[in-house]
Amino acid sequence: CDWGYTGSDCSLRMCPKGDDPLTENQYYRMINVTTNATAVSANLNGTFEVTFDGHSFEFPANASKWTASDCEASWESLDNVHDVRCT
């Protein structure tokens, strides 16, 4: 189904979820992903897949192959994520 729709024929509109976006004095959601190899000379290969509310993207397991701008572009490619800051 397209984003925001559900059902066997994708004709049902999903109800809004979560907190009221106009509520004041709240913090943005923070997600921390850490990857690590146990051996000093080990090199991580492959990818991880992140799925957020039905939308997905992959990123390399080896964090040195993924820049902050790559991170932001990946998250912001999801239809349900608007602004991301990766450090």
Side-chain angles (χ1 to χ4, degrees), residues 49-65:
E49 181 177 27
V50 172
T51 301
F52 182 71
D53 202 15
H55 298 272
S56 302
F57 67 88
E58 288 186 352
F59 65 93
N62 185 339
S64 67
K65 296 180 181 179

Side-chain angles (χ1 to χ4, degrees), residues 6-34:
T6 188
S8 60
D9 64 353
C10 298
S11 66
L12 300 174
R13 183 96 166 118
M14 292 173 58
C15 293
K17 299 176 185 159
D19 191 27
D20 181 348
L22 300 178
T23 303
E24 296 181 8
N25 301 320
Q26 294 198 41
Y27 297 99
Y28 290 104
R29 178 179 299 190
M30 293 179 65
I31 299 171
N32 182 26
V33 177
T34 303

Side-chain angles (χ1 to χ4, degrees), residues 35-85:
T35 60
N36 189 15
T38 54
V40 174
S41 62
N43 193 8
L44 290 174
N45 294 312
T47 59
F48 288 107
E49 181 177 27
V50 172
T51 301
F52 182 71
D53 202 15
H55 298 272
S56 302
F57 67 88
E58 288 186 352
F59 65 93
N62 185 339
S64 67
K65 296 180 181 179
W66 204 41
T67 66
S69 60
D70 292 337
C71 172
E72 291 174 12
S74 295
W75 278 102
E76 291 171 355
S77 73
L78 303 178
D79 289 340
N80 55 348
V81 175
H82 300 289
D83 188 32
V84 173
R85 181 181 59 179

